[in-house]
Amino acid sequence: MHFPGIAELASIRFSIRAHRRPPGQAPGTLEEPPGAFETSLSLRVWTEEGHVASEPEDLDPVREAISAGQRVWLNVTGLQNLALLREVGALLGIHPLWLEDMLNTRQRPKQELDPERRALFVVLQMAGPGSGLPLEQVSLHLKGNVLLTVQERPGDAFEPVRQRLARGDGRMRSGGADWMLYALVDALVDGYYAPLEALGEELDQLEEAALDRPHPTQLVRIRGLKRVLLHHRRALWPMREVLAALEREDRAGLAADTRLHLRDCHDHVLQLLDLVETFREVASGLMDVYLSSVSNRMNEVMKVLTIIATLFIPLTFVAGVYGMNFDPDVSPWNMPELGWRYGYPVTLLAMALIAGTLLLWFRRRGWLGGGV
C-alpha cells in the first residue's frame, strides 16, 4: 500500500489552500471546487422483496421512486455539474447552506439537524481505497426514506454495502434509509483499518531499517508518515463527536435500533484513534531512533579514525626522528645506528611492536568492540 511522500504531501497542502472560499461571498453560493470530477448518479431502490440498481442520466427515476414512497439511496459522484447538484437539492429540499458544504470539500466532520425539514446532514472524511491520503469528503443527507450521499471522486468504501444490498443480507432490505445510513457510516469507518494496518507495518519496517541501515531517505519517509497520521487524526477526532451525538440523541429519521448500532461505529472510531495515537508516538520515537542510530554510527566511525590516528602518532614520531638529517660523521651522537647493518629492519620491527602493543592495550580496555 502506498503512502505519499513529502512532495505529494506538499501538493495536498496546496490543494487545501486552493479550496478556501473567497471572503465576502453570499451564504449558499455554489462554486465548482478545483479539480472536480465529472458528475455521475447511482440510484438504488429497494424493498423487502428485492432491489433495483441503475445509473440514471437525469433525476426522473429518482422522482418516480420518491413519489412511489420507496426506499431510495441516491449517490452523486463528482462535483463538476453544478446545475445537476442544484436540481438534486431542489428535489430533496436540501438547505442551501448544506448544499454549499457539499461542494466545499474541506469541511470538518459534523452533523446537523433541520427540524423544519425533518432532515439530517452528516459530513465525514473517507480514507481512499488503497492509499492513506488524500482523504475524501462524503456528505450524507437523510430525509424520510431517501438517503443522498455525495462524494468527490470515483472509488469508495461502500462496495460491501452494495453487495449486501444486492444479496439481501441481514437487514439491508428490511431496514429503512436510516439503516442504510448506518451501514454506509460503518463501511466508511472500517475503511480506515486497512490503511492504518499497512502504515503500522511500514513503521515496523522503518524501525528495523533505521536500526540496521540508517539512511536519509528513511527520515523523509518518517516525516511523510507523520503527516499521514496527522491527517487521519484530523478526520477521526471530530468523527468521534459526530457519532457520539448521533447515538445519544433522537435525531430525525434515526430509529432507536439504528442509534444503538451507531454506538458500535463510535467504538470503532475510538479504536482507530488509539491506533493513530500509538502510531504517532511510534513515528516520533522512530525519529529519535534514526538520529540515535546515525549518531552511534558516526561515533563508531570516529572511534575507528581515532584509533588509527593514535596508532600512527608514535610511528610518525619515530619516522620524524629518523627524518632528521644529522651527519653521523660529525659526531658519534648523531644517530650512530644509521651505520648499523640491521638498523632499518630493527626500526621497522620496533614500530610494528609499538602498533601491536597499542592494539593489544585498546582491546584489553574494550575500545575495539562495537563493530570496529
Side-chain angles (χ1 to χ4, degrees), residues 20 26-27 43 62 115 140 152 164 173 193 197 241 251-252 259 291 296 302 337 351 361:
R20 293 176 182 170
L43 175 64
V62 182
L140 302 96
E152 298 180 52
R164 284 159 50 198
R173 292 183 183 173
Y193 279 102
E197 289 173 358
E241 302 171 1
R251 295 282 164 170
R259 298 201 307 272
L291 295 177
N296 289 337
M302 293 303 298
E337 64 272 19
M351 296 170 68
W361 185 57

Side-chain angles (χ1 to χ4, degrees), residues 1 8 22 83 98 110 120 129 144 181 201 210 262 274 290 309 324:
M1 183 173 293
E8 295 171 83
W98 290 358
K110 63 179 181 178
L120 177 66
L181 181 141
E201 294 176 1
L262 283 170
D274 288 340
Y290 170 81
M324 294 186 293

Side-chain angles (χ1 to χ4, degrees), residues 133-152:
L133 280 177
L135 301 178
E136 174 187 359
Q137 176 174 305
V138 176
S139 305
L140 302 96
H141 180 271
L142 176 66
K143 182 178 180 181
N145 286 327
V146 180
L147 174 64
L148 169 69
T149 55
V150 179
Q151 56 190 65
E152 298 180 52

Side-chain angles (χ1 to χ4, degrees), residues 164 179 181-191 193 236 239-240 242-248 255-273:
R164 284 159 50 198
W179 184 263
L181 181 141
Y182 151 71
L184 296 178
V185 171
D186 182 61
L188 183 149
V189 172
D190 289 346
Y193 279 102
L236 290 171
M239 193 184 303
R240 177 198 61 167
V242 170
L243 294 176
L246 289 177
E247 70 171 82
R248 186 171 55 243
D257 189 50
T258 301
R259 298 201 307 272
L260 180 63
H261 282 78
L262 283 170
R263 185 180 305 169
D264 183 61
C265 295
H266 181 254
D267 293 339
H268 289 176
V269 171
L270 294 180
Q271 294 174 7
L272 291 169
L273 278 173

Side-chain angles (χ1 to χ4, degrees), residues 277-298:
E277 294 299 333
T278 300
F279 290 159
R280 290 185 70 198
E281 293 180 4
V282 171
S284 298
L286 268 182
M287 191 78 72
D288 296 335
V289 168
Y290 170 81
L291 295 177
S292 298
S293 183
V294 170
S295 178
N296 289 337
R297 287 178 65 86
M298 184 178 297

